[in-house]
Every structure is written in C-alpha cells, then in structure tokens.
Coordinates of all heavy atoms in Angstrom, one line a residue:
M1 N 94.8 105.7 40.4 CA 94.2 104.8 41.2 C 94.5 104.9 42.6 O 95.7 105.0 42.9 CB 94.6 103.4 40.6 CG 94.0 102.2 41.3 SD 94.7 100.8 40.7 CE 93.4 100.0 39.9
P2 N 93.6 105.0 43.5 CA 93.9 105.2 45.0 C 94.6 103.8 45.5 O 94.4 102.8 45.0 CB 92.5 105.3 45.6 CG 91.5 104.9 44.6 CD 92.1 104.8 43.3
K3 N 95.4 104.2 46.5 CA 96.1 103.1 47.2 C 95.2 102.3 48.1 O 94.3 103.0 48.7 CB 97.3 103.6 48.1 CG 98.3 104.3 47.2 CD 99.6 104.5 48.2 CE 100.6 105.1 47.4 NZ 101.8 105.6 48.2
P4 N 95.3 101.1 48.2 CA 94.4 100.3 49.1 C 94.7 100.6 50.6 O 95.8 100.9 50.9 CB 94.7 98.8 48.9 CG 96.0 98.8 48.1 CD 96.2 100.2 47.4
K5 N 93.6 100.7 51.4 CA 93.8 101.1 52.7 C 94.4 99.9 53.6 O 93.9 98.9 53.4 CB 92.5 101.6 53.4 CG 92.1 103.0 52.9 CD 90.9 103.4 53.6 CE 90.4 104.8 53.1 NZ 89.3 105.2 53.8
R6 N 95.3 100.2 54.4 CA 95.9 99.1 55.3 C 95.1 99.2 56.6 O 94.7 100.1 57.0 CB 97.3 99.4 55.5 CG 98.2 99.1 54.4 CD 99.6 99.2 54.9 NE 100.5 98.7 54.0 CZ 101.8 98.5 54.1 NH1 102.3 99.0 55.2 NH2 102.6 98.1 53.2
A7 N 94.9 97.9 57.1 CA 94.2 97.8 58.4 C 95.1 98.4 59.5 O 96.3 98.2 59.3 CB 93.9 96.3 58.6
A8 N 94.6 99.0 60.4 CA 95.4 99.5 61.5 C 96.0 98.4 62.3 O 95.4 97.3 62.4 CB 94.5 100.3 62.5
P9 N 97.2 98.6 62.8 CA 97.9 97.5 63.5 C 97.0 97.1 64.7 O 96.4 97.9 65.3 CB 99.2 98.0 63.9 CG 99.2 99.5 63.6 CD 98.0 99.8 62.7
R10 N 96.9 95.8 64.9 CA 96.0 95.3 66.0 C 96.7 95.5 67.3 O 97.9 95.2 67.5 CB 95.8 93.9 65.7 CG 94.8 93.3 66.6 CD 94.3 91.9 66.1 NE 93.4 91.5 67.2 CZ 93.2 90.2 67.4 NH1 93.7 89.3 66.6 NH2 92.4 89.8 68.4
Q11 N 96.0 96.1 68.2 CA 96.5 96.3 69.5 C 96.4 95.0 70.3 O 95.4 94.4 70.3 CB 95.8 97.4 70.3 CG 95.7 98.7 69.6 CD 96.7 99.7 70.3 OE1 97.2 99.4 71.4 NE2 97.2 100.7 69.5
E12 N 97.5 94.7 71.0 CA 97.4 93.4 71.8 C 96.7 93.7 73.0 O 96.7 94.8 73.7 CB 98.8 92.9 72.1 CG 99.5 92.4 70.9 CD 100.9 91.8 71.2 OE1 101.0 91.2 72.4 OE2 101.8 91.8 70.4
D13 N 95.9 92.7 73.5 CA 95.2 92.9 74.8 C 96.2 93.0 76.0 O 97.2 92.3 75.9 CB 94.4 91.6 75.1 CG 93.2 91.5 74.1 OD1 92.8 92.5 73.6 OD2 92.7 90.4 73.8
P14 N 95.9 93.9 76.8 CA 96.9 94.1 78.0 C 96.9 92.8 78.8 O 95.9 92.1 78.8 CB 96.3 95.3 78.8 CG 94.9 95.5 78.3 CD 94.8 94.9 76.9
A15 N 97.8 92.6 79.5 CA 97.9 91.5 80.4 C 96.8 91.5 81.4 O 96.4 92.6 81.9 CB 99.3 91.6 81.2
P16 N 96.2 90.4 81.6 CA 95.1 90.2 82.5 C 95.6 90.8 83.9 O 96.6 90.4 84.4 CB 94.7 88.8 82.6 CG 95.9 88.1 82.1 CD 96.6 89.0 81.2
Q17 N 94.6 91.6 84.5 CA 95.0 92.1 85.9 C 94.3 91.2 86.9 O 93.3 90.8 86.8 CB 94.5 93.6 85.9 CG 95.3 94.4 85.0 CD 94.9 96.0 85.3 OE1 94.1 96.2 86.0 NE2 95.6 96.9 84.5
M18 N 95.1 91.2 88.0 CA 94.6 90.4 89.1 C 93.6 91.3 89.9 O 93.7 92.5 89.9 CB 95.6 90.0 90.2 CG 96.8 89.2 89.6 SD 96.2 87.6 89.2 CE 96.0 87.0 90.8
P19 N 92.5 90.7 90.4 CA 91.6 91.5 91.2 C 92.2 92.0 92.4 O 93.2 91.4 92.9 CB 90.4 90.5 91.5 CG 91.0 89.1 91.3 CD 92.1 89.3 90.4
P20 N 91.7 93.1 93.0 CA 92.5 93.6 94.2 C 92.2 92.7 95.3 O 91.2 91.9 95.3 CB 91.7 94.9 94.5 CG 90.5 94.9 93.7 CD 90.7 93.9 92.5
P21 N 93.0 92.6 96.2 CA 92.8 91.6 97.4 C 91.6 92.1 98.2 O 91.3 93.3 98.2 CB 94.1 91.7 98.2 CG 94.7 93.1 97.9 CD 94.3 93.3 96.4
P22 N 91.0 91.2 98.9 CA 89.9 91.6 99.6 C 90.2 92.5 100.8 O 91.3 92.3 101.4 CB 89.2 90.3 100.2 CG 90.4 89.3 100.2 CD 91.2 89.8 99.0
K23 N 89.4 93.4 101.2 CA 89.6 94.4 102.2 C 89.3 93.7 103.5 O 88.2 93.1 103.7 CB 88.8 95.6 102.1 CG 89.3 96.8 102.7 CD 88.7 98.0 102.3 CE 89.4 99.2 102.9 NZ 88.9 100.5 102.6
L24 N 90.2 93.6 104.5 CA 90.1 92.9 105.7 C 89.9 93.9 106.9 O 89.5 93.5 108.0 CB 91.3 92.1 105.9 CG 91.6 91.0 104.9 CD1 92.8 90.2 105.2 CD2 90.3 90.0 104.8
A25 N 90.1 95.2 106.7 CA 90.0 96.2 107.7 C 89.6 97.6 107.1 O 89.8 97.7 105.9 CB 91.2 96.3 108.6
M26 N 89.0 98.4 108.0 CA 88.6 99.7 107.5 C 89.0 100.8 108.4 O 89.3 100.5 109.7 CB 87.1 99.8 107.2 CG 86.3 99.5 108.4 SD 84.5 99.4 108.0 CE 84.3 97.7 108.1
S27 N 89.2 102.0 108.0 CA 89.5 103.1 108.9 C 88.2 103.4 109.7 O 87.2 103.0 109.4 CB 89.9 104.3 108.0 OG 88.8 104.9 107.3
I28 N 88.4 104.3 110.7 CA 87.3 104.8 111.5 C 86.3 105.5 110.6 O 85.1 105.3 110.6 CB 87.7 105.7 112.6 CG1 88.4 104.8 113.6 CG2 86.5 106.4 113.3 CD1 89.1 105.5 114.8
Q29 N 86.8 106.4 109.6 CA 86.0 107.1 108.7 C 85.1 106.2 107.9 O 83.9 106.3 107.6 CB 86.7 108.1 107.9 CG 85.9 108.9 107.0 CD 86.7 110.0 106.2 OE1 88.0 110.0 106.3 NE2 86.0 110.8 105.5
E30 N 85.8 105.2 107.3 CA 85.2 104.2 106.4 C 84.1 103.5 107.2 O 83.0 103.2 106.7 CB 86.1 103.2 105.8 CG 87.0 103.8 104.8 CD 88.1 102.9 104.4 OE1 88.6 102.1 105.2 OE2 88.5 102.9 103.2
F31 N 84.4 103.1 108.4 CA 83.4 102.4 109.3 C 82.2 103.3 109.5 O 81.1 102.8 109.4 CB 84.1 102.0 110.6 CG 83.1 101.4 111.7 CD1 82.8 100.1 111.7 CD2 82.6 102.2 112.7 CE1 81.9 99.6 112.6 CE2 81.7 101.8 113.6 CZ 81.4 100.4 113.6
C32 N 82.4 104.6 109.8 CA 81.3 105.5 110.1 C 80.4 105.6 108.9 O 79.2 105.6 109.0 CB 81.8 106.8 110.6 SG 82.6 106.6 112.2
Q33 N 81.0 105.8 107.7 CA 80.3 105.9 106.5 C 79.5 104.7 106.1 O 78.4 104.8 105.8 CB 81.3 106.2 105.3 CG 81.9 107.5 105.3 CD 82.9 107.7 104.2 OE1 83.5 106.8 103.6 NE2 83.3 109.0 104.0
A34 N 80.2 103.5 106.4 CA 79.4 102.2 106.1 C 78.2 102.1 107.1 O 77.2 101.4 106.7 CB 80.3 101.1 106.3
H35 N 78.3 102.6 108.2 CA 77.2 102.4 109.2 C 76.3 103.6 109.4 O 75.4 103.6 110.2 CB 77.8 102.0 110.6 CG 78.4 100.6 110.5 ND1 79.7 100.4 110.1 CD2 77.8 99.4 110.7 CE1 80.0 99.1 110.1 NE2 78.9 98.5 110.4
G36 N 76.6 104.7 108.6 CA 75.6 105.8 108.5 C 75.7 106.8 109.7 O 74.6 107.3 110.0
F37 N 76.8 107.0 110.3 CA 76.9 108.0 111.4 C 78.2 108.7 111.3 O 79.2 108.3 110.6 CB 76.6 107.4 112.7 CG 77.5 106.3 113.2 CD1 78.7 106.5 113.8 CD2 77.0 105.0 113.1 CE1 79.5 105.5 114.2 CE2 77.8 103.9 113.6 CZ 79.0 104.2 114.1
S38 N 78.3 109.8 112.0 CA 79.5 110.6 111.9 C 80.7 110.1 112.8 O 80.4 109.4 113.6 CB 79.1 112.1 112.4 OG 78.8 112.1 113.7
T39 N 81.7 110.7 112.5 CA 83.0 110.3 113.3 C 82.8 110.9 114.7 O 83.4 110.4 115.7 CB 84.3 110.7 112.6 OG1 84.2 112.1 112.3 CG2 84.6 109.9 111.4
A40 N 82.1 112.0 114.7 CA 81.9 112.7 116.1 C 81.1 111.7 116.9 O 81.5 111.6 118.2 CB 81.2 114.1 115.9
L41 N 80.1 111.2 116.4 CA 79.3 110.1 117.1 C 80.1 109.0 117.6 O 80.0 108.5 118.7 CB 78.0 109.8 116.5 CG 77.3 108.7 117.2 CD1 76.7 109.1 118.6 CD2 76.0 108.3 116.3
F42 N 81.0 108.6 116.7 CA 81.9 107.5 116.9 C 82.7 107.7 118.2 O 82.8 106.9 119.0 CB 82.9 107.2 115.7 CG 83.8 106.0 116.0 CD1 83.4 104.8 115.7 CD2 85.1 106.3 116.5 CE1 84.4 103.7 115.9 CE2 86.0 105.3 116.8 CZ 85.6 104.0 116.5
F43 N 83.3 108.9 118.2 CA 84.2 109.3 119.4 C 83.3 109.5 120.6 O 83.9 109.2 121.8 CB 85.1 110.4 119.1 CG 86.2 110.0 118.0 CD1 86.1 110.4 116.7 CD2 87.2 109.1 118.4 CE1 87.1 110.1 115.9 CE2 88.2 108.8 117.6 CZ 88.1 109.2 116.3
K44 N 82.1 109.9 120.6 CA 81.4 109.9 121.7 C 81.0 108.5 122.2 O 81.1 108.2 123.5 CB 79.9 110.6 121.4 CG 80.1 112.0 121.3 CD 78.7 112.7 121.0 CE 78.8 114.2 120.8 NZ 77.5 114.9 120.4
L45 N 80.7 107.6 121.3 CA 80.5 106.3 121.7 C 81.8 105.6 122.2 O 81.8 104.8 123.2 CB 80.0 105.4 120.5 CG 78.6 105.8 120.0 CD1 78.3 105.0 118.6 CD2 77.5 105.5 121.0
R46 N 82.9 106.0 121.7 CA 84.2 105.5 122.2 C 84.4 105.7 123.6 O 85.0 104.9 124.4 CB 85.3 106.0 121.3 CG 86.7 105.6 121.7 CD 87.0 104.4 120.9 NE 88.4 104.0 121.3 CZ 88.7 102.8 121.6 NH1 87.8 101.8 121.6 NH2 89.9 102.4 121.9
K47 N 84.1 107.0 124.0 CA 84.3 107.4 125.5 C 83.4 106.5 126.3 O 83.8 106.3 127.5 CB 83.8 108.8 125.6 CG 84.8 109.9 125.2 CD 84.5 111.2 125.5 CE 85.5 112.3 125.0 NZ 85.0 113.7 125.3
K48 N 82.2 106.0 125.8 CA 81.4 105.2 126.6 C 81.7 103.6 126.5 O 81.2 102.8 127.1 CB 79.9 105.3 126.1 CG 79.4 106.7 126.4 CD 78.0 106.8 125.9 CE 77.4 108.2 125.9 NZ 76.0 108.2 125.4
G49 N 82.8 103.4 125.7 CA 83.2 102.0 125.5 C 82.2 101.3 124.6 O 82.2 100.0 124.7
Q50 N 81.6 101.9 123.6 CA 80.5 101.3 122.8 C 80.9 101.3 121.4 O 80.1 101.2 120.5 CB 79.2 101.9 123.0 CG 78.6 102.0 124.4 CD 77.4 102.8 124.5 OE1 77.0 103.6 123.7 NE2 76.8 102.7 125.7
T51 N 82.2 101.2 121.1 CA 82.7 101.0 119.7 C 83.3 99.6 119.5 O 83.7 98.9 120.5 CB 83.7 102.1 119.3 OG1 84.8 102.0 120.3 CG2 83.0 103.5 119.4
P52 N 83.5 99.3 118.3 CA 84.3 98.0 118.0 C 85.7 98.1 118.5 O 86.3 99.1 118.7 CB 84.2 97.8 116.5 CG 83.8 99.1 115.9 CD 83.1 99.9 117.0
R53 N 86.4 96.9 118.6 CA 87.8 96.9 119.0 C 88.6 97.5 117.9 O 88.2 97.4 116.7 CB 88.3 95.4 119.1 CG 87.8 94.7 120.2 CD 88.5 93.3 120.4 NE 88.7 92.7 119.1 CZ 87.9 91.7 118.5 NH1 86.8 91.4 119.1 NH2 88.2 91.3 117.3
L54 N 89.6 98.3 118.3 CA 90.4 99.0 117.2 C 91.8 98.3 117.2 O 92.3 97.7 118.2 CB 90.6 100.5 117.7 CG 89.3 101.3 117.8 CD1 89.6 102.7 118.4 CD2 88.6 101.3 116.5
M55 N 92.5 98.4 116.1 CA 93.8 97.9 116.1 C 94.7 99.0 115.5 O 94.2 99.8 114.6 CB 93.9 96.6 115.3 CG 93.5 96.7 113.8 SD 93.6 95.0 113.1 CE 92.9 95.4 111.5
K56 N 95.9 99.1 116.0 CA 96.8 100.0 115.4 C 97.8 99.3 114.5 O 98.3 98.2 114.7 CB 97.7 100.6 116.6 CG 96.8 101.5 117.5 CD 96.5 102.8 116.8 CE 97.6 103.8 116.8 NZ 97.2 105.1 116.3
L57 N 98.0 99.9 113.3 CA 99.0 99.4 112.3 C 99.8 100.6 111.9 O 99.5 101.5 111.2 CB 98.3 98.9 111.2 CG 99.2 98.2 110.1 CD1 99.9 97.0 110.7 CD2 98.3 97.7 108.9
G58 N 101.0 100.8 112.6 CA 101.9 102.0 112.5 C 101.1 103.1 113.0 O 100.7 103.0 114.2
K59 N 100.9 104.2 112.2 CA 100.1 105.3 112.7 C 98.6 105.2 112.5 O 97.9 106.0 112.9 CB 100.6 106.6 112.1 CG 102.0 107.0 112.4 CD 102.5 108.2 111.8 CE 103.8 108.6 112.2 NZ 104.2 109.9 111.6
R60 N 98.3 104.2 111.7 CA 96.8 104.0 111.3 C 96.0 103.3 112.4 O 96.6 102.4 113.1 CB 96.8 103.2 110.0 CG 97.3 104.0 108.9 CD 97.1 103.3 107.6 NE 95.7 103.3 107.3 CZ 95.2 102.5 106.4 NH1 95.9 101.7 105.7 NH2 93.9 102.6 106.1
T61 N 94.8 103.6 112.6 CA 94.0 103.0 113.5 C 92.8 102.3 112.6 O 92.3 103.0 111.9 CB 93.3 103.9 114.5 OG1 94.3 104.6 115.2 CG2 92.3 103.2 115.4
L62 N 92.7 101.0 112.7 CA 91.8 100.3 111.9 C 90.8 99.4 112.6 O 91.0 99.2 113.9 CB 92.6 99.4 110.9 CG 93.6 100.1 110.0 CD1 94.4 99.0 109.3 CD2 92.8 100.9 109.1
I63 N 89.7 99.1 111.9 CA 88.7 98.2 112.6 C 88.6 97.0 111.6 O 88.3 97.1 110.4 CB 87.3 99.0 112.6 CG1 87.4 100.2 113.5 CG2 86.3 98.0 113.2 CD1 86.3 101.1 113.4
S64 N 88.8 95.8 112.1 CA 88.7 94.6 111.4 C 87.3 94.3 111.0 O 86.3 94.8 111.7 CB 89.3 93.4 112.0 OG 88.5 93.0 113.1
L65 N 87.1 93.6 109.9 CA 85.7 93.3 109.5 C 85.0 92.4 110.5 O 83.9 92.5 110.8 CB 85.7 92.6 108.1 CG 86.3 93.4 107.0 CD1 86.0 92.5 105.7 CD2 85.5 94.7 106.9
E66 N 85.9 91.6 111.2 CA 85.3 90.7 112.3 C 84.8 91.5 113.5 O 83.8 91.4 114.1 CB 86.3 89.7 112.8 CG 86.7 88.7 111.7 CD 87.7 89.1 110.7 OE1 88.3 90.2 110.8 OE2 87.9 88.4 109.8
A67 N 85.6 92.6 113.8 CA 85.3 93.4 115.0 C 84.0 94.3 114.7 O 83.2 94.5 115.6 CB 86.4 94.4 115.3
A68 N 83.9 94.7 113.4 CA 82.7 95.5 113.0 C 81.4 94.5 113.0 O 80.5 95.0 113.6 CB 82.9 96.1 111.6
A69 N 81.6 93.2 112.6 CA 80.5 92.3 112.7 C 80.1 92.0 114.1 O 78.9 92.0 114.5 CB 80.9 91.0 112.0
A70 N 81.1 91.8 115.0 CA 80.7 91.6 116.4 C 80.1 92.8 117.0 O 79.2 92.6 117.8 CB 82.1 91.2 117.2
W71 N 80.5 94.0 116.7 CA 79.9 95.2 117.2 C 78.4 95.3 116.8 O 77.5 95.6 117.5 CB 80.7 96.5 116.7 CG 80.1 97.7 117.1 CD1 80.1 98.4 118.4 CD2 79.2 98.6 116.3 NE1 79.5 99.6 118.3 CE2 78.8 99.7 117.1 CE3 78.7 98.5 115.0 CZ2 78.1 100.7 116.6 CZ3 77.9 99.5 114.5 CH2 77.5 100.5 115.3
R72 N 78.2 95.1 115.5 CA 76.8 95.1 115.0 C 76.0 94.1 115.7 O 74.9 94.3 116.1 CB 76.7 94.8 113.5 CG 77.1 95.9 112.6 CD 76.9 95.7 111.1 NE 77.5 94.5 110.7 CZ 78.8 94.5 110.1 NH1 79.5 95.6 110.1 NH2 79.3 93.4 109.7
E73 N 76.5 92.9 115.9 CA 75.8 91.9 116.6 C 75.4 92.4 118.0 O 74.3 92.2 118.6 CB 76.5 90.5 116.7 CG 75.7 89.4 117.3 CD 76.3 88.1 117.1 OE1 77.1 87.9 116.2 OE2 76.0 87.2 117.9
R74 N 76.3 93.0 118.8 CA 76.1 93.5 120.1 C 75.0 94.6 120.1 O 74.2 94.6 121.0 CB 77.4 94.1 120.7 CG 78.4 93.0 121.2 CD 79.4 93.6 122.1 NE 80.2 94.8 121.5 CZ 81.2 94.7 120.7 NH1 81.8 93.5 120.4 NH2 81.8 95.8 120.3
Q75 N 75.0 95.4 119.1 CA 74.1 96.4 118.9 C 72.7 95.8 118.8 O 71.7 96.3 119.3 CB 74.4 97.4 117.8 CG 75.7 98.0 117.8 CD 75.9 98.8 119.3 OE1 75.1 99.6 119.7 NE2 76.9 98.4 119.9
E76 N 72.6 94.8 117.9 CA 71.3 94.1 117.7 C 70.7 93.4 118.9 O 69.6 93.6 119.2 CB 71.4 93.1 116.6 CG 71.7 93.6 115.2 CD 72.0 92.5 114.2 OE1 72.2 91.5 114.5 OE2 72.2 92.9 112.9
N77 N 71.6 92.8 119.7 CA 71.1 92.2 120.9 C 70.9 93.2 122.0 O 70.1 92.9 123.0 CB 72.3 91.2 121.5 CG 72.5 90.0 120.5 OD1 71.6 89.7 119.8 ND2 73.8 89.5 120.4
A78 N 71.4 94.4 121.9 CA 71.2 95.4 123.1 C 69.9 96.1 122.8 O 69.4 96.8 123.7 CB 72.4 96.4 123.1
S79 N 69.4 96.1 121.6 CA 68.2 96.9 121.2 C 67.0 96.3 121.9 O 66.8 95.1 121.9 CB 68.0 96.9 119.6 OG 69.1 97.5 119.0
T80 N 66.2 97.1 122.4 CA 64.9 96.7 123.0 C 63.9 97.4 122.4 O 63.9 98.7 122.2 CB 65.0 96.8 124.6 OG1 65.3 98.3 124.9 CG2 66.0 96.0 125.2
Y81 N 62.8 96.8 122.1 CA 61.7 97.5 121.5 C 60.5 97.4 122.4 O 60.2 96.7 123.1 CB 61.2 96.9 120.1 CG 62.3 97.1 119.1 CD1 63.3 96.1 118.8 CD2 62.3 98.2 118.4 CE1 64.2 96.3 117.9 CE2 63.3 98.4 117.4 CZ 64.3 97.4 117.2 OH 65.3 97.6 116.2

C-alpha cells in the first residue's frame, strides 16, 4: 500500500515591502532621456544659459523636479509659432 503524500510545507509570505521613496531629482543623463535630447545638446544649451538650475550633492550634479518643471514652462513660453 503506497504511503499517503504529504502536502509541501507552506511558504510564509515575505514581509510586505515598502514602496521606494519618490524621486525628487534626476541626473543630467536622466533629464536628457526624459526630454528626448542628447547630453551633448544639454551642454551646448548650458553654455547659452538655457538649462534648468543644477544642484551639487557631493560629486553628483542633479536637477530637481521643480527646476525641470520651471525649465519646461520657460521653454513653452519662449516658443513662438
């Protein structure tokens, strides 16, 4: 007579993970990717003073989401059709 099969031990659910904190700033590369242009163009615009405000955090250079939004608004207002 075959032995009855035992149910596999039940795996406990892992502890619920917290969602990642919201991103408040982005690198220059992330900014360029989000806006669809190259970092080379970013630095050309930087020479003309036409980029968002930058902030330094240690060795990193970041662009806050607020600075990116203000830059987009300036670009919309500067556009003439």
Side-chain angles (χ1 to χ4, degrees):
M1 184 186 246
K3 291 183 180 179
K5 292 184 178 180
R6 288 186 165 182
R10 192 168 170 201
Q11 299 263 342
E12 290 188 32
D13 292 334
Q17 294 187 358
M18 299 292 291
K23 202 164 187 182
L24 302 176
M26 62 186 104
S27 68
I28 292 172
Q29 183 177 4
E30 290 170 327
F31 174 82
C32 292
Q33 288 174 343
H35 292 87
F37 56 86
S38 68
T39 54
L41 177 58
F42 178 89
F43 289 107
K44 285 180 185 178
L45 293 172
R46 180 92 179 127
K47 284 183 180 180
K48 297 178 183 181
Q50 297 175 348
T51 57
R53 288 186 326 261
L54 302 177
M55 61 181 175
K56 292 291 281 185
L57 185 61
K59 292 182 178 183
R60 297 183 68 195
T61 301
L62 301 172
I63 301 167
S64 70
L65 297 183
E66 295 83 3
W71 176 82
R72 283 191 301 275
E73 189 171 333
R74 285 193 309 272
Q75 299 312 302
E76 290 172 356
N77 293 335
S79 296
T80 56
Y81 292 99

